[in-house]
Amino acid sequence: EAGVTQFPSHSVIEKGQTVTLRCDPISGHDNLYWYRRVMGKEIKFLLHFVKESKQDESGMPNNRFLAERTGGTYSTLKVQPAELEDSGVYFCASSQGPLGGNSYEQYFGPGTRLTVT
Amino acid sequence: AQTVTQSQPEMSVQEAETVTLSCTYDTSENNYYLFWYKQPPSRQMILVIRQEAYKQQNATENRFSVNFQKAAKSFSLKISDSQLGDTAMYFCAFTLSGAGSYQLTFGKGTKLSVIP
């Protein structure tokens, strides 16, 4: 079974440009999460999808970030326009649903390292 | 709001020895889960061990075990017979159980180096 995949693995862009990160969850996982780790700080929750719907987007830092999950499959996270403070590693995770047993266990992708210069 | 604190940014241990990583958390809730995740260099994060707060018995997974002290809000990870492959960043994480997004709250991580 394929794990969570993320593309690209690394992106370097200039301030003011746009970047789109992609996450492919494990097949059959209804829940998809985005997290971010800024250098030296904790991994922070950004948002949670259940299928194609945003369940919780309380962690999104501002309206320069837009997340979508087309047809409840893969998800994209767009940053437009990018700022220096957006640099960090963006993780995607997925889990099964509905809840019960170990369905809350989240499986993580390798992350996308975003560098804004 | 929940918080997770890992007070040891870096640790090292000799191969075959035992090491304990510390984690404390703060919550006013009673039902939750705690996790230790491991991220080896240049690889993705994987779950090492989980603990349900309602369970008094400490979780164990092979060489990994936890010391869960609910009253003290402490959740330390013990790695026995350390191996070179245990070299990684270790993250302690928390999530509330019940209805909700099950979003994880992480500590800053502890970088563990196993020395041959």
Side-chain angles (χ1 to χ4, degrees), chain A:
Chain A
E1 178 182 275
V4 178
T5 59
Q6 293 186 245
F7 182 84
S9 58
H10 193 185
S11 178
V12 181
I13 61 172
E14 292 183 353
K15 176 182 173 181
Q17 290 186 321
T18 298
V19 63
T20 300
L21 314 181
R22 173 169 170 146
C23 168
D24 286 79
I26 293 172
S27 178
H29 280 193
D30 288 339
N31 297 283
L32 188 148
Y33 302 81
W34 283 98
Y35 295 87
R36 175 175 75 171
R37 186 182 189 207
V38 173
M39 182 68 72
K41 297 197 173 182
E42 298 90 341
I43 300 169
K44 292 281 194 184
F45 166 79
L46 295 178
L47 86 159
H48 168 218
F49 284 98
V50 177
K51 298 184 180 179
E52 68 275 9
S53 300
K54 293 176 185 175
Q55 175 79 6
D56 181 354
E57 50 184 329
S58 61
M60 294 287 264
N62 52 61
N63 58 10
R64 295 186 294 103
F65 289 75
L66 175 63
E68 296 179 324
R69 189 178 183 194
T70 308
T73 55
Y74 70 91
S75 175
T76 58
L77 180 64
K78 180 190 288 187
V79 185
Q80 178 183 29
E83 298 289 345
L84 299 178
E85 64 264 24
D86 300 332
S87 295
V89 181
Y90 290 76
F91 294 100
C92 175
S94 70
S95 68
Q96 289 181 319
L99 299 172
N102 293 332
S103 61
Y104 53 82
E105 179 175 337
Q106 295 181 27
Y107 296 83
F108 281 79
T112 292
R113 181 174 296 279
L114 174 63
T115 303
V116 183
T117 62

